[in-house]
Amino acid sequence: MAQQLSAAKEPNAEQIAEQKLYKQMGVTDDEYARICGFLGRKPNYVEIGVFSVMWSEHCSYKNSKPVLRRFPTTGPRVLMGPGEGAGVVDIGDNQAVVFKIESHNHPSAIEPYQGAATGVGGIIRDIFSMGARPVALLNSLRFGRLENDRVRYLFEHVVSGIAGYGNCIGIPTVAGEVMFDESYEGNPLVNAMCVGLIDHDKIQKGVAKGVGNPVFYVGPATGRDGIHGATFASEELTAESEAKRPAVQVGDPFMEKLVMEACLELIDSGIVLGIQDMGAAGLTCSSAEMASKAGNGIELYLDRVPQREEGMTPYEMMLSESQERMLYVIRPEHEAQARAIFDRWGVICAKVGKVTDDGRLKLFHHGELVGDMPVGALVDECPVYNPASQEPAYYRENAAIDTLRYPEAANLTETLRRILASPTVASKEWVYNQYDSMVRTETFVRPGSDAAVVGVPGTRKALAMTTDCNGRYVYLDPAVGGRIAVSEAARNIVCSGALPLAVTDNLNFGSPEKPDIFWQLEQATEGMAEACRALETPVIGGNVSLYNENAKGAIYPTPVVGMVGLVEDVDHITTQGFKAEGDIVLLLGDTKAELGGSELQYVLHGVTEGRPPELDLAVERALQQAVLEAIRGGLVASAHDLSEGGLAVALAESCISGGGIGASVALETELRPDVALFSESQSRILLSARPDKADALQELLAARGVPCRAIGTVGGSELRITVNGKEGVRSDVAQLEKAWKEAIPCYMK
Amino acid sequence: MKGDRVMKFAVLVFPGSNCDIDCYKAVESTIGQPVDYVWQTSTDLSAYDAILVPGGFSYGDYLRCGAIAQFAPVMGALKQAAEDGKYILGICNGFQILTEARLLPGALLRNKALKFRCHSAKLRVVNNETPFTRDYAENELIDIPIAHGEGNYYCDEATLKELQANRQIVFRYEAGNNPNGSVDDIAGICNRAGNVVGMMPHPERAVHELLGSADGKRMFTSILNAWRERSGAAVIGG
Amino acid sequence: MKAKVYVTIKQNVLDPQGSAVEGALHSLGFEEVGKVRVGKFVELELQTADRGEAEARVKAMCEKLLANTVIEDYRYELE
């Protein structure tokens, strides 16, 4: 076959074998032998390229498949689970919500603006390729410490890349989180999530249906950008990866807006048989997966692929990750109808192939066969690894650490101010004011609350959405940290007045080839799976990003949880800010001496050690159900989840978000005062209620077995907290707000 | 009102417009008048009484915001409509397009802080005698969000003096809270005749308490009332 | 023929990008830097050999689209 046809500079099959060139593409000797077995010969350059990306972790999940199987993926509302572009969950009235999260960590580490922008572009395509109208974006970001110049550079440009893409395409960026810790230095995390709405009968699949049907390419012409992006994402970051800069793609949100509108119109016309976006591994992955899902084959005529650069080889076209491209299949008789739609939107559309019945991906270039591979081998036959797992030494050592070994914080007001000014806790206004959070005019709760709330047009319903994960907890105890990540996301959803529906997860870990890291992955996913079962929030899709390492080692294991909930009636929407003078402040849940992995520990002592807070899923579930019942019953004025910085930070945030209104709180406790204020015990929520509702609220909570104490009242302009009768915190809310709001802008000047 | 001729609204749509739906919904929800999307290739706007030029990133805002949109086929009809005294409201990118097309004086530069900004903004109603602001009180402070990267209004001294003298400054940002560096805190202006208004803030995003403010609603009632008065129909209550 | 068009913000108009770059250069120790203006550079390939005609056409392009003369100046070179 046609090895001699590939460009002269590309090595031939013999050279690939002799010089083991496949290794540069991340293919092992064993995998290479396996590929030769499937082909019955040695692969040529384009074929080994195609196998290398299809068998990369990013596309094949070869290292993570066994742990992903732990997740519950079904439920009464789940219409489509993992496997397609995004999961789909029923929200009633023939409508459904579609959502997914995806990482763009490695590209963002190299070129932060374009890396983040194309991450947003990619996740939007995943949503509209399902036929859904994207209605909201979220993002979960992790960076090193802001004292570092390079970190500030990455932070600044990642944020503007997200803004640049989302603002232009006109999808509001409504929520997210940003945390800072040196563990992410040199390896920032950029996880983008998109949420869409769809009618049940419009749901699309990425299948190449109907032998003989034409396969169309939509979107801008293909260039040499991003070649080997998928394998790049599956490697550790090294000094050489800086040199691989051309691997980063450039995004064009204006083009994506046109492609999106045209594709949604095409789907709406009812003629689409299958559609998929060209994400990682571009044309390769989309064509192979569409063929595989239909049990068919595909022939591609590569010279018909629109090309931006001259002299592109089949290898380059198959592996290019040029952005904003889609692949779809229709019946031949609908070709003119489809073409008219794309012409009106000014989007390129080219017939590049056809569906076949031989189960093979065949590539032709100027009439000659240049690649011929079994689709099944590409998609399903990548070896699945069960990497070795070992409990790391640090985990055992942490068991012995007494988190109370540091002296008591003397000045609690000053401590609160310092924690409020810690970038992880501080106001993220500097970030989210750069995002258009309101376009589409359905954003009912904007960024800065526990969860954002976005209306479902034409109904009384709304969607609550959030992302969550505290990597410190997961590092200290991956199983507990995993449980907390899911539980906290659900708690945020409940606090906004919504029922948690389902989860999309982004597993950001170090190299799975290291037993310590694989142990973290196993433990964390087990913890997440338990919580997902207990809280009835199945995992409907997600993404795995491994090899997040740099010279200093692996990042904290960071399995980001994206969650969406359903607000039954917009009247139930609840926010975290205190509402009125005289409202009663209630603390739900028990506070224990739990400082392991806390913000207090990090800010005051610069360490992350000990065991993280415990989490009992039965307690958590009861708390969430009771609070949602109370909100729906109209008993709650404000609700705020307790997280980083504990009770004191939650109180301060409720005051600040309440427009600067104060509160007077008296705590009775056996704990050390600083522990009582800054412990990060789980399953706690801060509520406020009108005085005439407070009794009924407390009765309801008592009846549901949820520990609840009235700890104070809303009013004045000061936050005052006494502990066992002694003054603990006393400050004007305005001063706390200043510390909280000015922290990040101050670093970014 | 029975028997009344309805006021017909057009929302122009360019490739890259993204507040078109919001403008459409705002007209429907605030004043319930008929509204159509009009694609940029149309060359006839004679059927419409008011034309909204929505926000977004027309043609990607490549080169300069609004620079390419000014040459879209529909712009000839828009100029004609302006001459005919029809009500034209350009919001955000729509304002940028109107200045590029010279339907309004001045230009919009990058925000002084070089960052896109999206948040609530307090605006002062400087001139409440335009067809777009008659339902506001003079000097009223209203809450209308902004969302732009290039909203820094610029004009030369002479033009500014003219704007001031002719009461063409319709909205100003509240003193001390200018988000983008605009000359004289300008947030919105009108032409000499008063029938063309351009503004960076988004009144269509402030038409319901759930959105955080309903202060934008009265811009739409103003337009309807002005039109009704002009065409001799009954005016609706504010 | 090739035309190179340079578009800059007018001298009397505030150029926030220029000011930011100026500040950054100073903080990097390039103290000799005075005023900085940031502009655009547009390269056009023209299907013509007539220099006079090209000149007139490029000027028209600048006036009409490439520059907004309310805020921007332009100049061009033909080669």
Side-chain angles (χ1 to χ4, degrees):
Chain A
M1 211 199 47
Q3 277 116 22
Q4 71 280 10
L5 292 173
S6 53
K9 62 182 176 182
E10 289 177 354
N12 63 31
E14 290 307 325
Q15 289 166 323
I16 294 165
E18 277 161 28
Q19 299 169 32
K20 300 196 172 196
L21 297 175
Y22 50 83
K23 284 194 159 179
Q24 291 172 11
M25 300 179 183
V27 175
T28 66
D29 289 335
D30 285 349
E31 288 169 350
Y32 179 75
R34 214 174 145 109
I35 292 165
C36 293
F38 282 119
L39 294 181
R41 58 182 166 76
K42 293 177 184 130
N44 65 19
Y45 195 58
V46 61
E47 289 166 337
I48 190 67
V50 165
F51 267 100
S52 77
V53 290
M54 289 305 294
W55 284 18
S56 70
E57 173 63 33
H58 193 88
C59 294
S60 71
Y61 299 103
K62 60 187 171 188
N63 288 301
S64 50
K65 249 183 195 163
V67 299
L68 295 175
R69 287 195 191 109
R70 296 163 195 244
F71 290 141
T73 57
T74 55
R77 286 178 183 269
V78 177
L79 300 177
M80 205 179 273
E84 281 296 332
V88 185
V89 182
D90 183 25
I91 56 166
D93 306 318
N94 193 42
Q95 282 185 306
V97 58
V98 181
F99 60 96
K100 191 184 183 190
I101 193 166
E102 196 160 80
S103 66
H104 237 210
N105 303 338
H106 293 82
S108 303
I110 305 291
E111 171 28 58
Y113 184 97
Q114 293 298 344
T118 52
V120 173
I123 197 65
I124 293 170
R125 284 194 298 283
D126 275 332
I127 299 306
F128 75 73
S129 64
M130 302 292 297
R133 163 68 64 178
V135 298
L137 291 166
L138 301 87
N139 51 76
S140 179
L141 312 176
R142 300 291 182 282
F143 298 94
R145 292 179 69 100
L146 283 175
E147 285 83 355
N148 177 304
D149 288 349
R150 173 75 185 167
V151 169
R152 287 201 301 277
Y153 171 81
L154 290 173
F155 177 44
E156 168 135 32
H157 289 86
V158 162
V159 169
S160 60
I162 291 170
Y165 210 101
N167 296 353
C168 181
I169 198 167
I171 301 167
T173 302
V174 297
E177 23 142 33
V178 194
M179 292 185 183
F180 303 88
D181 190 290
E182 49 266 54
S183 131
Y184 304 104
E185 210 159 294
N187 199 322
L189 302 185
V190 177
N191 295 180
M193 171 168 160
C194 185
V195 180
L197 282 168
I198 194 170
D199 291 339
H200 289 190
D201 49 324
K202 293 273 163 63
I203 298 171
Q204 301 297 314
K205 286 186 179 177
V207 287
K209 262 197 261 181
V211 173
N213 281 332
V215 176
F216 285 87
Y217 167 115
V218 179
T222 297
R224 292 192 171 92
D225 24 21
I227 291 174
H228 270 302
T231 37
F232 181 47
S234 306
E235 284 167 22
E236 288 175 35
L237 280 183
T238 59
E240 289 96 81
S241 45
E242 282 271 357
K244 286 190 189 171
R245 235 174 216 276
V248 173
Q249 322 85 313
V250 172
D252 181 352
F254 170 61
M255 178 54 71
E256 178 138 313
K257 166 85 174 160
L258 302 181
V259 171
M260 174 175 79
E261 295 300 342
C263 285
L264 287 174
E265 194 175 321
L266 181 77
I267 289 167
D268 215 40
S269 73
I271 62 174
V272 175
L273 299 174
I275 184 164
Q276 186 159 334
D277 85 294
M278 291 190 224
L283 199 48
T284 292
C285 195
S286 52
S287 57
E289 284 189 3
M290 285 181 80
S292 158
K293 277 185 252 177
N296 285 330
I298 280 190
E299 281 180 9
L300 292 176
Y301 317 112
L302 294 173
D303 36 295
R304 296 192 198 163
V305 170
Q307 291 158 51
R308 202 179 67 215
E309 297 176 62
E310 282 174 23
M312 289 188 68
T313 65
Y315 173 89
E316 289 168 331
M317 278 184 272
M318 288 306 289
L319 270 67
S320 164
E321 292 192 0
S322 288
Q323 297 289 294
E324 292 92 24
R325 301 177 304 159
M326 308 283 292
L327 210 59
Y328 71 89
V329 176
I330 55 174
R331 279 184 232 292
E333 59 267 32
H334 292 136
E335 196 179 325
Q337 194 185 342
R339 212 167 270 285
I341 293 173
F342 290 105
D343 282 351
R344 190 165 60 257
W345 286 101
V347 172
I348 297 173
C349 168
K351 184 156 65 176
V352 296
K354 81 172 182 219
V355 181
T356 61
D357 62 359
D358 60 5
R360 301 187 75 85
L361 177 62
K362 284 187 179 163
L363 310 175
F364 292 87
H365 196 221
H366 299 301
E368 305 218 36
L369 186 65
V370 294
D372 182 1
M373 297 150 279
V375 162
L378 287 170
V379 178
D380 298 316
E381 297 298 335
C382 173
V384 172
Y385 297 105
N386 260 311
S389 164
Q390 192 185 5
E391 187 183 285
Y394 82 81
Y395 177 73
R396 283 187 301 278
E397 289 155 11
N398 267 299
I401 293 177
D402 173 14
T403 58
L404 296 176
R405 68 187 169 131
Y406 292 99
E408 185 177 339
N411 183 336
L412 295 175
T413 305
E414 185 49 34
T415 304
L416 172 58
R417 221 175 279 142
R418 278 182 68 186
I419 292 178
L420 286 171
S422 155
T424 291
V425 171
S427 167
K428 305 302 183 297
E429 204 176 80
W430 183 89
V431 176
Y432 62 71
N433 274 358
Q434 296 184 52
Y435 304 148
D436 187 339
S437 55
M438 307 173 202
V439 62
R440 299 189 60 77
T441 54
E442 294 289 347
T443 309
F444 298 156
V445 178
R446 296 179 197 170
S449 206
D450 282 341
V453 180
V454 173
V456 178
T459 72
R460 297 282 300 169
K461 289 181 285 195
L463 300 170
M465 50 196 79
T466 188
T467 63
D468 261 300
C469 179
N470 183 323
R472 289 181 202 146
Y473 298 161
V474 185
Y475 169 74
L476 292 177
D477 188 334
V480 174
R483 279 206 290 275
I484 292 176
V486 173
S487 301
E488 194 187 331
R491 216 181 297 137
N492 284 335
I493 295 289
V494 163
C495 283
S496 69
L499 175 74
L501 292 177
V503 163
T504 177
D505 66 301
N506 204 333
L507 304 176
N508 304 280
F509 285 77
S511 166
E513 292 156 34
K514 298 177 184 165
D516 284 16
I517 304 290
F518 195 72
W519 176 84
Q520 291 175 340
L521 183 59
E522 278 180 329
Q523 293 284 307
T525 46
E526 185 56 40
M528 293 165 79
E530 284 168 19
C532 288
R533 279 191 292 269
L535 302 175
E536 295 173 63
T537 51
V539 176
I540 58 159
N543 176 245
V544 178
S545 171
L546 304 178
Y547 303 95
N548 287 288
E549 307 219 354
N550 54 43
K552 291 175 192 162
I555 58 159
Y556 281 162
T558 312
V560 172
V561 173
M563 194 180 281
V564 173
L566 180 64
V567 179
E568 282 184 342
D569 189 304
V570 290
D571 284 344
H572 299 159
I573 295 172
T574 305
T575 53
Q576 69 185 30
F578 288 143
K579 299 293 179 299
E581 295 261 345
D583 282 359
I584 311 295
V585 180
L586 301 160
L587 174 61
L588 280 52
D590 290 323
T591 306
K592 295 166 233 162
E594 297 184 307
L595 294 181
S598 68
E599 199 62 28
L600 180 91
Q601 198 182 54
Y602 186 73
V603 170
L604 293 194
H605 312 300
V607 297
T608 295
E609 61 181 27
R611 284 282 182 262
E614 272 303 328
L615 189 135
D616 180 325
L617 286 164
V619 169
E620 182 72 41
R621 185 185 156 94
L623 171 86
Q624 292 189 13
Q625 287 180 340
V627 169
L628 186 58
E629 188 182 346
I631 288 174
R632 286 176 172 171
L635 300 175
V636 176
S638 75
H640 190 15
D641 154 54
L642 268 64
S643 58
E644 289 80 20
L647 176 62
V649 165
L651 281 165
E653 288 176 344
S654 289
C655 288
I656 296 166
S657 305
I661 196 166
S664 188
V665 168
L667 297 179
E668 298 295 329
T669 175
E670 322 246 291
L671 300 171
R672 226 167 68 182
D674 60 339
V675 176
L677 290 187
F678 300 105
S679 160
E680 296 183 10
S681 289
Q682 293 298 300
S683 310
R684 295 185 301 160
I685 290 176
L686 188 70
L687 297 182
S688 70
R690 269 171 38 188
D692 58 330
K693 304 263 174 91
D695 288 345
L697 176 56
Q698 280 178 281
E699 277 163 30
L700 186 154
L701 293 166
R704 301 290 175 269
V706 174
C708 166
R709 270 195 230 183
I711 57 170
T713 50
V714 175
S717 60
E718 257 188 356
L719 175 60
R720 275 189 81 169
I721 310 172
T722 62
V723 183
N724 298 331
K726 281 210 279 197
E727 185 146 295
V729 169
R730 183 166 189 180
S731 171
D732 270 337
V733 173
Q735 273 195 309
L736 298 175
E737 181 170 358
K738 199 167 139 66
W740 181 71
K741 272 200 175 163
E742 288 179 0
I744 290 179
C746 192
Y747 279 107
M748 300 310 293
K749 258 178 205 152
Chain B
M1 255 146 275
K2 244 191 199 160
D4 275 355
R5 189 168 85 79
V6 289
M7 184 178 185
K8 288 177 89 173
F9 281 77
V11 174
L12 302 190
V13 184
F14 300 91
S17 294
N18 64 31
C19 304
D20 44 345
I21 302 168
D22 304 350
C23 285
Y24 186 102
K25 284 195 300 187
V27 171
E28 279 198 323
S29 71
T30 56
I31 50 176
Q33 298 298 302
V35 51
D36 291 329
Y37 293 114
V38 177
W39 183 240
Q40 47 91 18
T41 51
S42 166
T43 52
D44 182 6
L45 291 168
S46 59
Y48 301 100
D49 304 301
I51 297 131
L52 307 182
V53 191
F57 287 71
S58 56
Y59 302 90
D61 274 353
Y62 296 142
L63 191 63
R64 281 186 319 280
C65 302
I68 299 176
Q70 65 171 309
F71 299 110
V74 78
M75 292 304 286
L78 187 71
K79 285 177 183 165
Q80 185 60 51
E83 276 171 34
D84 294 346
K86 290 183 176 179
Y87 302 134
I88 296 171
L89 174 61
I91 301 168
C92 201
N93 193 223
F95 185 16
Q96 293 161 341
I97 294 169
L98 295 181
T99 58
E100 282 284 343
R102 305 289 194 267
L103 282 167
L104 289 170
L108 283 310
L109 295 168
R110 277 189 83 172
N111 292 352
K112 205 170 167 187
L114 299 176
K115 296 215 179 305
F116 190 97
R117 288 187 70 164
C118 173
H119 50 75
S120 301
K122 291 271 190 271
L123 305 187
R124 192 68 72 180
V125 181
V126 181
N127 181 350
N128 72 333
E129 289 173 355
T130 76
F132 302 84
T133 51
R134 50 181 279 160
D135 290 352
Y136 296 106
E138 193 176 358
N139 267 325
E140 187 178 340
L141 202 57
I142 59 173
D143 188 345
I144 308 279
I146 57 162
H148 58 250
E150 313 205 8
N152 179 352
Y153 182 77
Y154 169 83
C155 62
D156 58 31
E157 281 289 314
T159 310
L160 180 61
K161 287 218 168 72
E162 251 180 70
L163 290 178
Q164 289 162 344
N166 299 327
R167 301 200 64 200
Q168 284 175 258
I169 299 170
V170 182
F171 298 107
R172 279 204 182 94
Y173 300 107
E174 188 189 24
N177 282 310
N178 182 335
N180 51 34
S182 285
V183 157
D184 200 23
D185 295 336
I186 286 174
I189 57 169
C190 62
N191 61 350
R192 280 293 286 270
N195 65 315
V196 178
V197 161
M199 61 194 296
M200 289 314 294
H202 288 269
E204 83 283 11
R205 295 186 181 190
V207 293
H208 196 290
E209 291 303 341
L210 270 172
L211 297 172
S213 167
D215 286 350
K217 205 170 164 177
R218 280 178 288 158
M219 275 202 86
F220 295 92
T221 60
S222 292
I223 299 170
L224 179 61
N225 283 331
W227 177 80
R228 282 194 171 151
E229 194 170 278
R230 197 162 75 178
S231 49
V235 168
I236 57 165
Chain C
M1 196 180 298
K2 202 181 250 183
K4 292 178 170 178
V5 180
Y6 304 84
V7 180
T8 46
I9 299 271
K10 277 181 195 287
Q11 285 302 322
N12 58 343
V13 175
L14 175 76
D15 172 12
Q17 269 188 95
S19 312
V21 172
E22 184 182 318
L25 287 172
H26 287 167
S27 71
L28 289 169
F30 298 102
E31 277 122 20
E32 69 274 30
V33 174
K35 202 171 181 188
V36 177
R37 311 291 288 173
V38 172
K40 295 188 191 96
F41 171 64
V42 185
E43 205 171 75
L44 308 163
E45 275 179 35
L46 303 174
Q47 314 298 336
T48 175
D50 182 337
R51 211 177 162 82
E53 188 201 320
E55 182 123 357
R57 300 283 288 171
V58 171
K59 189 165 164 39
M61 290 177 209
C62 290
E63 290 281 338
K64 216 170 160 157
L65 176 66
L66 300 179
N68 177 351
T69 51
V70 174
I71 44 170
E72 290 169 330
D73 288 327
Y74 64 87
R75 66 186 172 84
Y76 52 86
E77 294 159 6
L78 294 175
E79 57 189 44

